[in-house]
């Protein structure tokens, strides 16, 4: 584990190519994230995750997925969950907390069972962004509520129940993406709200979460850092550490998203300089992957310690 580098990478298809195997063997990413393009059926997915783990000779090697429910369903070839959005569960929480606990726990248990069967051990949930009227639909029904207290409570429930099922969680998009007027996959969102407002609202839902991983928002909070997105902002990462009190591993959102305006090399370097512990690159473009890998340091003692905690939770 000690020789791995501080990045997570995607892969291109349903099987590893010879070039991808060489890449993984040489650069040893901390983890791999899988998407719909990587999935065909249960047998193929299990074969893929087994192949990945054989390369690293590690039965607990981190393999991630973005399996929220609703429209974010990377396993759509296997299951249909279009109606089970975070918004649905948020409304159910308000309407009937007892029924919420039963149905949401069942959803998490079933999701966890499927992920475990497939060889996936980290899910990038919960989304703790608030729902704001007039904002980009990139969050929309992926948010539990406009109320930070409700979002926080459901987030705690989500983290706890996935953990009990030996699935790691990644809170996102810290410290809040809900106010963005544009989709950060394509543009750079700028939020102009005051720090006082943000602390009482969007930042509040991320406080004191018992998860080992958090993913950054590619959003500029202009009253705090008018130039850099959270991913590239030392001021924002410091705020996440000192005011939101997140003390574990900070993972960048995807470095290939258009919100980040620099080259892949610069996007990688700037994320580490800002204070991200691990960077994420999703699109499976081998040329870009090599650049990210070459500019990612080997994991340090802090990452090693937190990874060991994650492994312990799996046993």
């Amino acid at each position: 584990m000690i020789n791995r580098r501080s990045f997570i990478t995607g892969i291109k298809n349903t099987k590893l190519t010879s070039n991808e195997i060489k890449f993984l063997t040489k650069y040893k990413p901390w983890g791999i994230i899988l998407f719909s393009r990587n999935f065909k059926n249960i047998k193929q997915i299990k074969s893929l995750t087994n192949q990945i783990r054989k390369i690293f000779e590690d039965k607990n090697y981190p393999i991630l997925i973005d399996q929220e429910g609703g429209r974010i369903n990377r396993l759509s070839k296997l299951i249909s969950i279009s109606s089970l959005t975070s918004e649905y569960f948020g409304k159910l929480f308000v309407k009937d907390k007892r029924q919420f606990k039963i149905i949401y726990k069942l959803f998490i248990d079933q999701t966890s069972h499927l992920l475990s069967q497939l060889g996936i051990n980290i899910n990038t949930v919960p989304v703790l962004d608030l729902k704001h009227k007039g904002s980009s639909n990139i969050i929309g029904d992926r948010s539990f509520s406009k109320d930070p207290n409700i979002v926080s409570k459901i987030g705690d429930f989500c983290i706890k129940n996935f953990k009990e099922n030996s699935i790691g969680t990644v809170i996102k998009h810290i410290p809040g993406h809900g106010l963005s007027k544009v989709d950060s996959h394509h543009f750079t969102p700028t939020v102009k709200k005051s720090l006082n407002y943000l602390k009482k609202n969007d930042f509040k839902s991320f406080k004191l979460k018992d998860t080992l991983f958090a993913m950054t928002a590619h959003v500029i909070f202009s009253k705090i850092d008018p130039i850099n997105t959270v991913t590239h902002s030392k001021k924002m990462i410091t705020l996440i550490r000192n005011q939101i009190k997140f003390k574990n591993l900070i993972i960048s959102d995807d470095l290939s998203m258009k919100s980040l305006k620099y080259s892949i090399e610069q996007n990688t370097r700037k994320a580490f300089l800002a204070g991200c512990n691990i960077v994420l690159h999703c699109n499976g473009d081998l040329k870009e992957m090599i650049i990210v890998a070459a500019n990612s340091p080997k994991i340090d003692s802090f990452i090693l310690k937190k990874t060991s905690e994650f492994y312990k939770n799996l046993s």
Side-chain angles (χ1 to χ4, degrees), residues 238-276:
T238 300
L239 181 148
I240 288 167
R241 295 299 194 195
N242 295 341
Q243 296 189 34
I244 295 174
K245 307 290 187 187
F246 185 76
K247 301 301 184 184
N248 295 321
L249 293 178
I250 295 178
I251 303 170
S252 78
D253 203 346
D254 181 12
L255 295 177
S256 62
M257 287 165 62
K258 301 303 180 189
S259 177
L260 305 184
K261 298 301 185 186
Y262 306 96
S263 67
I264 287 293
E265 178 179 349
Q266 288 175 300
N267 284 345
T268 305
R269 287 176 175 269
K270 285 173 73 68
F272 286 118
L273 287 171
C276 291

Side-chain angles (χ1 to χ4, degrees), residues 35 39 46 52 63 121 132 148 236 286:
F35 291 91
F39 302 143
K46 289 172 79 169
I52 290 167
I63 299 179
N121 55 10
H132 285 282
M236 290 303 304
L286 192 60

Side-chain angles (χ1 to χ4, degrees), residues 86-101 144-147 149-151 153-154:
S86 293
E87 183 179 57
Y88 163 77
F89 288 117
K91 288 178 177 177
L92 188 60
F93 178 87
V94 173
K95 182 180 177 183
D96 187 335
K97 287 185 178 58
R98 182 177 171 276
Q99 191 178 25
F100 161 83
K101 287 181 178 179
F144 294 114
S145 174
K146 64 182 181 181
D147 184 332
N149 296 309
I150 291 172
V151 173
K153 287 174 184 175
I154 297 177

Side-chain angles (χ1 to χ4, degrees), residues 41-174:
N41 56 51
I42 290 175
K43 184 179 178 182
Q44 170 269 321
I45 300 167
K46 289 172 79 169
S47 175
L48 176 61
T49 56
N50 285 336
Q51 186 184 16
I52 290 167
R53 290 207 165 93
K54 280 180 183 175
I55 291 171
F56 297 98
E57 298 179 339
D58 181 355
K59 65 182 177 65
N60 291 322
Y61 182 78
I63 299 179
L64 298 82
I65 192 172
D66 198 13
Q67 185 66 12
E68 296 173 12
R71 59 192 156 105
I72 309 302
N73 178 16
R74 309 303 183 186
L75 298 172
S76 58
K77 294 184 179 77
L78 306 183
I79 52 171
S80 176
I81 48 173
S82 58
S83 62
L84 298 176
T85 63
S86 293
E87 183 179 57
Y88 163 77
F89 288 117
K91 288 178 177 177
L92 188 60
F93 178 87
V94 173
K95 182 180 177 183
D96 187 335
K97 287 185 178 58
R98 182 177 171 276
Q99 191 178 25
F100 161 83
K101 287 181 178 179
I102 294 168
I103 294 176
Y104 195 40
K105 186 179 188 307
L106 182 63
F107 173 77
I108 292 171
D109 288 348
Q110 292 298 314
T111 301
S112 300
H113 177 72
L114 180 55
L115 296 184
S116 295
Q117 289 293 306
L118 298 174
I120 296 165
N121 55 10
I122 300 177
N123 193 9
T124 63
V125 295
V127 173
L128 300 181
D129 306 313
L130 302 190
K131 187 176 178 66
H132 285 282
K133 191 174 182 181
S135 291
S136 165
N137 194 45
I138 188 58
I139 300 301
D141 61 8
R142 297 167 66 195
S143 172
F144 294 114
S145 174
K146 64 182 181 181
D147 184 332
N149 296 309
I150 291 172
V151 173
S152 181
K153 287 174 184 175
I154 297 177
D156 289 337
F157 186 89
C158 176
I159 291 162
K160 176 178 178 287
N161 281 276
F162 270 112
K163 186 176 182 180
E164 287 176 357
N165 285 298
S166 299
I167 300 292
T169 51
V170 184
I171 57 173
K172 62 188 186 187
H173 305 81
I174 202 167

